[in-house]
């Protein structure tokens, strides 16, 4: 039996987890790792505040440790990469965050990445993370659509705002690749890319794509 | 009655808190804020792992909120600045981390700062923080002495290692100012500076010094 | 008797010195250092050109040396930090510039700082200083209000322009904290912060706040 | 029939291509893309000079275009990423370079990456590439083993030098993850990682792992 | 007889070469190097795509080698600096690119440089080069006028777009010096500078000016 | 009659001026600008302290203004570039500093520049300047030989220390081009380059070479 990639949505909104799961379809291969998407039952409805971030770090580490026997890798499916380093410390298997992988993937698709956030309040946290990653020089800009995680499900309004924001990033800030800054945006990737005409990265896909290779190579902490 | 600056040591090792408290003596002024040093009772013996960091973030926020009525400012007295952004979000009063303030203070005392860490495992976490702060260009280097928080109390061995490491930072890495990378090192500041002949920053002092001004100006979230 | 923090306004416009002095009120504490604000008698009406900057460097150093016996620290109260390194070399007591301290303080209050300058001509000089400090990555932008030091005293016009410029920095450039780029703007801090809804740093206060700690710790050149 | 990932070794040394091919084994999955490793027949024995780099760029683009009908993605398997942007322009399918992917992958495995180059002359070219990628801040250092591509096949000498160089990167330069700076080093990954005790990235594996996801998502130029 | 500076226009549009030649007039001195402007006969009409760039690298190296006996230095007169490192490797005499020299010269004329490109598609390539040069922090922005190399000869339309774009770089992006991002723009330097009121760098002049000194010093590879 | 390039040595040590003058020989061309080397009579024996730097800024501006009628350009021939921006403001003709031009020139000769300083105390000042220039990423390192300006004239000892220091920059810090960090080192350029086998930049030559072009183009402030 194949090892699992556990894609853990740290919030408890099942619709978000379902959206991620749907986005995983093309990455499921007969001979490849199983890709299992889970919600963190104790998580908040969305990771929007710093309190939300902190509240899930150790539960994520505990959940990961409980799954480690069957795991080939873990993906933390929230664009704040909550608990990334705690989970890495807790398990020997590879742990990837969707923010870091979404950004790193975008670096191979354009020269200046733009990020569409859900809320203004998330942006400073993301900027700190880009600084910690040492990739700020590649950032064109980040702008928010002003909708929270649960509001994301209203399709037309959300898409309209994402297209508007993506165009600002492209035309005013000079972005030539867009990263969607929330795991709950997966369903909007294709229409957004069609509207913008530049590559759009869905970060959960980016992270799982990178995780697949590590599972196949049986990677674990040196 | 003057408002308090609550200097919260997120670990439960009272000797560390006592050392911080002693270092505060010169910063206590008749007409200035009261400076109260607390341990976090639920904290680990030392903040050494990422798990240690995560385990104290929300307890710190809760403790800060419980103290807010009498508080003028808060200082998180651990060089990993655990929970810095969670505590900032939780209270309207200023919250400062000793890492950020130790580094920022060093930027006014030399052109390239060196950091003396306790353990090798702390260094990547610190490097991420310097990146998030956007000050990596000023970093000469960071080296560890290989002693954990509780071992720091063995005076002669610790000082000898700090002097040795400080000289490497000065002579091999080009540091012209040193930041002590642990709240538990406060007692070593003076002999270390004497031995190295370049400024040495004790980060809890650096943070409280900055906090005093904010309290006096009655600063709170805009 | 307490040592003095000498806050030296390198220009000779007494109204600017008076404005700084008024801004110091909350930082004067029983048991704390005395805070004495001086104009440089030989200084120009405002430090606006590079010639203005150069003309005060050695006079500042001489003045500082003449005051050193009673000094605990010195603050150079001009946002070009003129003569900062010359004064540091001249005296053994700590010397802080209001630009460096204003910027460093802002780094603890937001992720991207915006600066309101008086004149366009000051901006390249400031940008060089941020580069020398190694903090350019945190800069959102700097914009000028187009008024010289003496024109700053016309309250309504100045405040209106500062609010307008601050909003551009916040909304177009993404600043989440503002640094006032002239010592002569001190009186506008509170209404500006009220209008913008994000923290506004008055740099003379920022520098003196940092200086207080050094005086209390009896800091001098290692 | 599955689309191919064409892994093109721009040199004509078949042993290098065979080594890459062997390293691909774990990444071949039922249901996943086919992974086909090719030499560039017109390529030099090794890509060691700038002339070598330039000589393969358009042949790589032509070869890629000739294969595009059956291709899901292309990987350029030389650590100078020769012709990366020319091939990207020539075909609509994703094109990845092993240098960029090796580096990006290392950013998820450590905080400071070290690179083991074959020859001193390659290092400035690599440094330019890291600068263009905007990731220089994460570089611990790069050192060469002083062996050319064909000399790499002498196992014991090569491994001994790689271990020696890796230890210098780890101990003197502060690297906590190593990237092997030549496609011809694939066979040394496991013993090198065992000797160093920190993660070692084989860049062809890193690139193909990232390519698999793009093929599965049927990615092509927007 | 004086050695030559060979200014090689890698495209075959003679009008571009003629424009460069005319711009060289003031740099021709009786006792100085001869300045000879050549087209690359095999070059495309303009260097606009990555294929264009790659197609000239080795021909440039060969041409340079064939001219080396009479050469004091070489200048590659295309703003993509195609083949810069290949030509450097091929000959012992100094080789300068007009992009690098245009940018470096601008760094002595303003604090933030803006670049006027011909086409949007050139911008990511230029941004990679600025990153490789390590000077991205000084970039205010780069914007294109949307005209290809041959369209540049329509004077009024081109000048009008260059002025419009230069004003955007100056007023929206904060540039205080402009670099013209194509060798074919030489004739527009003076009217553009008059219209903008800030320095405008013609990059072929910048490169030849730097080359003259090397020829006079008989510089060759150490 | 040709306009002059005034190369002003801000110190009053005539031997230094004579050494610069000798280094100018190859840059004097029939038909080119006259190159006139002057000492600043009021200058100190060497620019070694910050006080030395400040003491010459306005005298340099005054001297330049007095010479402007016959000037085509000015070069400030001290590696601290004292008064660079004051002189630029004072005259409409181009003003170049030997530090900035030495560094910029080195960027075309290698990927990582090393600087040989005279004294340890100069290094922080230089590092601030590299930061202001935005080129710190290209710095391999800077090391001092521990000799002051007047001691530089003792040939054998000075050369021996420069070779030793240059080798450390090359072998330990990874420099592939060296910039001599004092105008008084001009005479050592050739033997140093011979000993190191990598390019060595004499900064006064670098600056005058760049100035020649500006004079020929009749450049003045826009």
């Amino acid at each position: 039996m194949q090892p699992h990639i556990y894609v853990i949505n740290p919030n408890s909104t099942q619709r978000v987890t379902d959206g991620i799961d749907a986005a995983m379809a093309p990455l499921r291969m007969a001979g490849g790792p199983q890709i299992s998407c889970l919600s963190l039952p104790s998580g908040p409805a969305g990771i929007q505040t710093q309190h939300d971030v902190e509240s899930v770090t150790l539960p994520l580490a505990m959940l990961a440790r409980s799954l480690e026997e069957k795991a080939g890798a873990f993906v933390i499916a929230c664009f704040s990469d909550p608990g990334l380093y705690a989970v890495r410390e807790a398990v020997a298997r590879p742990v990837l965050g969707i923010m870091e992988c979404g950004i790193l993937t975008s670096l191979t698709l354009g020269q200046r990445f733009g990020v569409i956030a859900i809320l203004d309040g998330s942006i400073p946290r993301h900027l700190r993370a880009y600084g910690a990653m040492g990739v700020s020089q590649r950032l064109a800009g980040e702008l928010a659509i002003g909708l929270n995680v649960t509001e994301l499900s209203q399709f037309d309004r959300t898409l309209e705002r994402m297209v508007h924001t993506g165009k600002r990033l492209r035309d005013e800030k000079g972005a030539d690749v867009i990263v969607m800054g929330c795991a709950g945006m997966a369903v909007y990737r294709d229409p957004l890319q069609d509207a913008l005409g530049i590559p759009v990265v869905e970060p959960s896909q980016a992270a799982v794509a990178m995780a697949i290779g590590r599972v196949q190579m049986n990677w674990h902490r040196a």
Side-chain angles (χ1 to χ4, degrees), chain A:
Chain A
M1 189 167 129
Q2 300 292 336
H4 289 253
I5 295 174
Y6 289 108
V7 182
I8 310 179
N9 169 19
N11 72 46
S12 55
T13 299
Q14 188 60 32
R15 189 174 30 221
V16 170
T17 311
D18 292 346
I20 298 168
D21 189 71
M24 293 303 111
L27 298 171
R28 294 187 163 106
M29 291 166 274
Q34 301 192 57
I35 302 172
S36 306
C37 300
L38 292 77
S39 303
L40 183 72
S42 65
I47 305 288
Q48 290 161 183
T49 63
Q50 192 66 31
H51 180 278
D52 292 336
V53 168
E54 310 294 359
S55 73
V56 301
T57 59
L58 292 182
L60 281 168
M62 263 191 301
L63 179 56
R65 202 178 293 128
S66 77
L67 296 165
E68 196 175 8
E69 205 173 327
K70 293 187 292 180
F74 297 90
V75 167
I76 299 176
C78 166
F79 203 74
S80 293
D81 285 355
L84 179 60
Y85 295 97
V87 184
R88 277 192 181 148
E89 184 182 80
V91 298
R93 289 293 171 183
V95 182
L96 294 166
I98 68 167
M99 177 202 276
E100 60 170 4
C101 293
I103 301 299
L104 297 176
T105 294
S106 79
L107 299 188
T108 69
L109 290 162
Q111 188 58 23
R112 301 192 76 209
F113 68 94
V115 179
I116 301 178
I118 51 171
L119 299 168
D120 279 335
S122 313
I123 295 178
R125 179 163 58 241
H126 296 170
L127 294 179
R128 292 195 298 269
Y130 309 151
M133 291 178 69
V135 297
S136 305
Q137 191 180 300
R138 297 285 293 274
L139 175 68
E142 175 160 348
L143 296 170
I145 57 171
L147 296 174
N148 66 29
V149 171
T150 52
E151 290 169 324
L152 282 181
S153 61
Q154 302 180 41
F155 192 89
D156 289 349
R157 182 176 69 175
T158 300
L159 180 59
E160 189 273 331
R161 292 203 188 177
M162 290 185 76
V163 170
H164 173 77
T165 302
K167 287 183 176 171
R168 284 192 60 203
L169 289 167
R170 184 192 65 189
D171 298 337
E172 296 174 22
K173 305 293 185 187
D176 54 4
V177 58
I178 297 292
V179 181
M180 299 197 305
C182 178
M185 293 171 171
V187 69
Y188 300 99
R189 184 195 166 277
D190 291 354
L192 181 62
Q193 180 166 293
D194 288 346
L196 297 179
I198 56 176
V200 173
V201 175
E202 199 290 304
S204 298
Q205 290 179 329
V208 172
M210 289 182 77
I212 289 170
R214 310 244 178 128
V215 175
Q216 294 303 115
M217 292 186 273
N218 192 30
W219 199 289
H220 47 84
R221 192 164 43 235

